[in-house]
Structure formats: C-alpha cells, structure tokens
Amino acid sequence: MTNRKRSFQVVLFMMLFSITGKALGFIREVLLASYFGAGESVDAYLLAIIIPNLLFSFLGVGLATALIPHLSDKKMNHQTFNVISNLLNILSIALVFIIINLYIFAPTIISYFGSNLSVEGQLIAVEMLRILSLAVFFWVICSIFSALLQHTNNFIIPAFSTLPNNIIVILFIVTLTDYIGVKSLAYGMLAALIVQTLIHVPSLFKAGYKFKFVIKPNDKNIYIIFSAAILMSFLTAYEQINLLTDRLFSPILNNGDLATLNYAYKLFMLPFGVLIATLISYFYPRISKLAKDPKNFLDEVIRNKLIILLLIIPITVLMLVFNYKIVEVVYERGAFSPSDTFHTAHALYVYSIGLPFFALMMYLNRVFFSIKENKLPVVIGAISLLIGLVFKFILANQIGFIGLVISTSITYIINVILIIYILNKKSITLFSGKVFYQYVKLAIIFIILLLVASHVERNYEFSSMLVYSILELITVSFFILFMYVILLFVFKFLRYDSASKMKIKFNLLKGDK
C-alpha cells in the first residue's frame, strides 16, 4: 500500500470517527436544549465549564501541542519514556494542587462571573464547577496520551475515543436529569473523561511505552516543553479566552443570552470539529517533520491550506443561507422556543462569516509551532483579542449579544491577516503568483455558490413538519454540494485522470502530480 493511499485511509477513518463523535455530541446539545432551553440552568453550566475549559486548553492542549514538535525527531525509547513519565508525574502533582484550589474557591469564582444568576443558579454552578474540576485531571492527561499516540502515527484511537465519551454523557443526561437536573451533564462529563483516558492506555503499552515514577523538575526537556507550552497554551486557549471575555458582559445581557450564544457557537464549531480539526491533527505532525526541508515544507503548508479552504467553503455557504432552518431543525423543541430559534440563527449567521478565517487561524498557528516560532503567534493572538475586546465594549452596549458575535468574527479576520503578513516576512509566502490565482478562483466559486444557495432559499418553501424539514434540508444541502463539485471541475480544482482508470484527483497547484 502506498503512503498516499494509507494516508487517505487514515484521514478517512479519523473523519468517520470524528463525524460520529460530533453527531453524538450534537445529540447531547439537542438534549440539553430540549430539557433546559435557553434558561438559567444552561447559563449556570456554561459558567461552571469555562474555567475547566481554560485549564484544559492551557495545560492539556498546550502541552500536547508543544510535545509533538519536541518528539518529532525522537524515537520511543528508554530516554524518551523517562521524559514522558517525568512530564506526566510533574503535571499530575500540579493538577491535584489546581483541583484543590478550584474546589475551595468555586463560590468566589462563580459569584464574580455569575452575578446575573439567581442565588439558586449560583449554587448549582458552584457544585458543577467542583465536579468538573475533578474532570480536568483526566481531560489534560487524555490530551497528552493522544499526542503520544499521534507521535507513533496512531491517529485512530484518539479519534475513536470521543465516541464512548459522548455516549456516556448522553446516558447520564437521559437517566439522571429528572433527579439532579443539569448537574447530570457535569457527572456525565467526569465519567466520560475517565473512560476516554483509559481507552488510550492499551495502545500506549502496545507502542512500547513504559511508565516510570520519576520526578526531575530540572530536566532540560521538561523546561523546553513547558516553555513552549506556555506560549502555545495561550493560542490553544484562544477560543476559551475569547468566550471568557463574552462572560464578562453577562451583567448587561438579557437572561438566556449566554445560552443563545452557546447554541449558535456549538453549530459554528461543528464543521470545524468534524473536518478541519481532524485534518489539522493529521497535518501538524507531518509539517513538523518537514520543517527542516524548506521547499517541501512550503509546498505542504500551501497544499494543506487550500484543502482546508476547499472543505470550508460549502459549509460556510450553507450556514450563511440556511442558518434559521438549521437552528429550527436542530434545536426547536421542548423548552426551546421560536424566539430562541430566531436569536440563535442570527448569532449563527454572524459566526459563519468568520468560519473560514477561524479555520485558517487554527491551522496557520500550527505552522508557526512546527518551525518552533512560538512567540510571534502569541503576540498576534494577543493583539487580535485586545482589538476584539474593544469592539465588544463598543458593540455589546449598543446591540447586545449580537455585538459580541460580530466582534468575535472581526477578531478571527484580523488574526489571519496578521499571521499571513508575518509568515510572508519569514519567507513562508502563501500568496505567490500561481497560488494567488487559486485563491481568486476559490473566491469566485464562493460567490457563485452563495448566489445559487440564496436563490434556492428564496424560492423553496420548507415543510413545517420536523421529519420532512430534515429530509428537505439534507436534499438542499446535497444539491448545493453537487453544484459545488461541478464548480470545482469547471475551475479545475478537480480533474479526471484517464491514466488512472478515471479516478478523480485534486489539482490544487498547477503542475501537481
């Protein structure tokens, strides 16, 4: 089997697991909306989860992102096992200390960020934060385990492990909500993360990993990894910081606005999590290993960027045009009212404008990490967040929660512009002549597809029955995708290769073989 064919199969399996996992995760969100709507219970949960999410992004994803380039030129041997064991032991001690402090100071944290909640809502949020603080330990360790498996080219287990995670959470919601309310979600997440972490263990042992109880904080490898992780963790926690700034405006928002933003954001993140995040997790180790080969590195970076744009364009069009119908089909039942649908769809529309930029931002940050240029993306991220915060102060007071969404999209756009400018200064030119021509063609395709989708939306009347609405939305989506594929052939992004039994091939760059 050729490397290219094997790579395609690996990515395909990763996407299948990711799609299934995200579908289950979405069922979880639908259940949450059905049981609790956009009310105070969901606001309490969102406040409780924000700190654990930040810790996971800073410690889990940050360290995992730093670990991959550090191990890129190392084999899984005795010396590497000692470094990994040392890292895990030091991290575990730090996590225990953090969990104890979170448990003690949970009331203070919630009272600060949740001043708009009732006393009962704050008590629920405090209890959930204490439960989720325990989940942080397994969340972070699981992220490190995933990075280690990806280093050994095992991408399947990390992708598969999300399936039982979401199944367990769904079971907890369905079986315990009538007894303990929204806290069933917190208990479900704790149980799910324990199981997800344990799923990685057999594959780690199979790869030859041997755990040792060693604690050497002065080890230079630990210093290198943590130094890189401090910078990388800011960018991996970028979205959580962005969401946290939204919470700062909760006193001026209406009750349920945070829940509305959450439901729209989950829809916005769904295509990224299913497709783009999966691809980035596959691309990242590859470009890290090519970092010392400038020509092949640049070709790989550009090709990956084009693939991401090709995948995100039809999704962006569908979300821009059919946002109301998508929200209605997914959420509008039980406690989720038509008014909730209207506001959530409005937020989703604005989020969707920033979707291509968000996808590029997350990938291009990995490009910086792969060449071990960690400080610049942090500076870029800080600048864009500060600019976004200024917009939030201005717009949130004028137009409420939708001003927060507009500011978030502006943040993504500014971030990508700055990243591309800096990469160009680093001789990583993403807009050379023939590549720029490809971007122009993609922009034309986007505009044509947007016009076609808008025409369909204006002239097609959806059924009011849920089952028919779902089928119609799927049919319309497939029609838009069909038109997109035709446009890809017209603009020569896809081609038939008669020498390979009429296989369809990507023609991303002129002269590609």
Side-chain angles (χ1 to χ4, degrees):
M1 184 183 294
T2 64
N3 287 335
R4 180 169 292 187
K5 187 175 290 186
R6 183 181 179 279
S7 297
F8 175 77
Q9 290 182 351
V10 170
V11 172
L12 181 62
F13 275 111
M14 288 174 68
M15 284 190 174
L16 287 174
F17 285 135
S18 180
I19 289 170
T20 307
K22 292 298 179 182
L24 290 169
F26 216 69
I27 291 172
R28 179 191 66 198
E29 294 301 318
V30 170
L31 287 172
L32 190 64
S34 180
Y35 278 108
F36 305 105
E40 187 178 61
S41 294
V42 179
D43 282 353
Y45 163 72
L46 294 175
L47 286 170
I49 194 66
I50 193 68
I51 299 298
N53 265 336
L54 269 174
L55 288 170
F56 167 65
S57 297
F58 273 111
L59 293 174
V61 182
L63 282 169
T65 306
L67 196 59
I68 288 174
H70 183 76
L71 297 177
S72 61
D73 56 351
K74 293 179 174 62
K75 295 181 179 180
M76 293 288 278
N77 53 30
H78 174 76
Q79 186 177 1
T80 304
F81 296 152
N82 281 343
V83 172
I84 295 169
S85 295
N86 193 21
L87 172 66
L88 287 171
N89 291 330
I90 293 172
L91 185 59
S92 296
I93 293 171
L95 286 170
V96 170
F97 176 77
I98 290 169
I99 290 168
I100 291 171
N101 279 274
L102 269 180
Y103 191 90
I104 294 171
F105 294 106
T108 305
I109 295 169
I110 294 301
S111 64
Y112 180 78
F113 289 107
S115 58
N116 64 321
L117 293 177
S118 66
V119 174
E120 183 182 358
Q122 288 190 21
L123 289 173
I124 293 172
V126 167
E127 188 172 350
M128 284 195 291
L129 177 55
R130 285 172 169 168
I131 297 165
L132 292 169
S133 67
L134 298 174
V136 169
F137 180 89
F138 299 97
W139 211 348
V140 172
I141 297 301
C142 183
S143 182
I144 302 298
F145 284 176
S146 293
L148 294 175
L149 289 179
Q150 288 172 5
H151 172 64
T152 64
N153 292 321
N154 185 340
F155 298 92
I156 303 300
I157 293 299
F160 167 77
S161 65
T162 60
L163 302 187
N165 180 305
N166 285 310
I167 291 171
I168 291 170
V169 174
I170 289 170
L171 288 174
F172 269 71
I173 293 174
V174 172
T175 57
L176 295 180
T177 295
D178 289 341
Y179 302 100
I180 58 175
V182 75
K183 288 180 286 186
S184 61
L185 185 57
Y187 282 111
M189 287 185 67
L190 174 60
L193 285 165
I194 293 172
V195 172
Q196 186 176 358
T197 303
L198 294 175
I199 286 173
H200 289 74
V201 174
S203 295
L204 285 170
F205 284 130
K206 187 177 180 181
Y209 173 72
K210 295 178 177 63
F211 175 80
K212 296 184 178 182
F213 189 76
V214 54
I215 299 177
K216 295 180 179 178
N218 295 325
D219 186 342
K220 66 177 183 179
N221 289 288
I222 297 299
Y223 174 78
I224 292 170
I225 293 170
F226 271 95
S227 297
I230 289 171
L231 295 172
M232 293 180 181
S233 62
F234 172 80
L235 290 174
T236 54
Y238 183 94
E239 271 307 278
Q240 298 308 318
I241 296 171
N242 207 1
L243 293 175
L244 181 60
T245 60
D246 287 349
R247 305 296 185 267
L248 297 175
F249 294 90
S250 60
I252 66 172
L253 299 178
N254 295 322
N255 189 27
D257 280 351
L258 286 179
T260 296
L261 288 174
N262 175 66
Y263 291 130
Y265 185 76
K266 293 293 184 182
L267 282 168
F268 163 74
M269 285 297 291
L270 182 62
F272 176 82
V274 170
L275 296 175
I276 309 306
T278 302
L279 282 175
I280 291 174
S281 67
Y282 181 74
F283 291 154
Y284 182 40
R286 290 168 60 87
I287 60 175
S288 294
K289 292 175 182 177
L290 287 172
K292 295 179 180 179
D293 183 359
K295 173 145 189 341
N296 287 328
F297 173 77
L298 181 58
D299 287 345
E300 185 73 14
V301 168
I302 292 172
R303 186 176 287 105
N304 294 346
K305 184 176 178 228
L306 286 170
I307 290 172
I308 288 171
L309 286 173
L310 283 168
L311 286 173
I312 211 68
I313 282 174
I315 297 167
T316 303
V317 168
L318 287 170
M319 293 174 76
L320 283 171
V321 176
F322 298 100
N323 50 81
Y324 186 89
K325 198 63 190 178
I326 291 170
V327 173
E328 184 183 56
V329 165
V330 172
Y331 288 132
E332 194 177 301
R333 60 188 58 83
F336 201 92
S337 68
S339 175
D340 295 331
T341 298
F342 175 80
H343 290 108
T344 304
H346 195 185
L348 177 60
Y349 175 82
V350 181
Y351 270 133
S352 301
I353 296 171
L355 182 57
F357 297 95
F358 177 72
L360 288 178
M361 178 186 76
M362 299 305 288
Y363 170 65
L364 293 176
N365 280 336
R366 268 29 179 217
V367 174
F368 275 116
F369 298 157
S370 67
I371 59 174
K372 299 182 180 179
E373 188 69 65
N374 302 324
K375 292 181 181 179
L376 284 174
V378 172
V379 173
I380 293 169
I383 291 171
S384 62
L385 278 175
L386 286 173
I387 294 173
L389 189 59
V390 171
F391 275 102
K392 287 180 180 182
F393 272 113
I394 296 170
L395 297 178
N397 285 288
Q398 298 295 322
I399 53 178
F401 75 90
I402 205 66
L404 299 177
V405 188
I406 293 171
S407 303
T408 297
S409 291
I410 290 172
T411 301
Y412 299 150
I413 294 169
I414 292 171
N415 197 299
V416 170
I417 291 172
L418 291 174
I419 287 175
I420 292 173
Y421 175 77
I422 297 297
L423 284 175
N424 187 62
K425 290 289 185 180
K426 292 285 180 181
S427 299
I428 302 176
T429 306
L430 302 179
F431 284 95
S432 61
K434 67 178 181 180
V435 179
F436 182 76
Y437 175 61
Q438 304 295 332
Y439 296 141
V440 172
K441 291 197 298 182
L442 283 174
I444 294 171
I445 289 173
F446 175 79
I447 293 170
I448 294 173
L449 199 65
L450 188 62
L451 291 173
V452 170
S454 298
H455 177 76
V456 171
E457 194 274 336
R458 285 194 304 270
N459 292 279
Y460 188 84
E461 186 175 346
F462 284 90
S463 171
S464 59
M465 295 181 64
L466 178 61
V467 175
Y468 289 125
S469 290
I470 293 172
L471 292 175
E472 288 169 347
L473 188 58
I474 292 171
T475 302
V476 168
S477 299
F478 272 109
F479 172 74
I480 300 301
L481 290 175
F482 175 73
M483 295 301 297
Y484 181 57
V485 171
I486 291 175
L487 288 170
L488 291 180
F489 275 107
V490 170
F491 284 87
K492 299 183 179 179
F493 281 103
L494 290 176
R495 60 186 171 87
Y496 280 114
D497 187 350
S498 57
S500 301
K501 298 181 180 178
M502 299 299 284
K503 288 183 180 178
I504 298 174
K505 292 191 174 184
F506 278 107
N507 190 30
L508 296 177
L509 297 173
K510 187 177 179 181
D512 278 356
K513 300 294 182 185

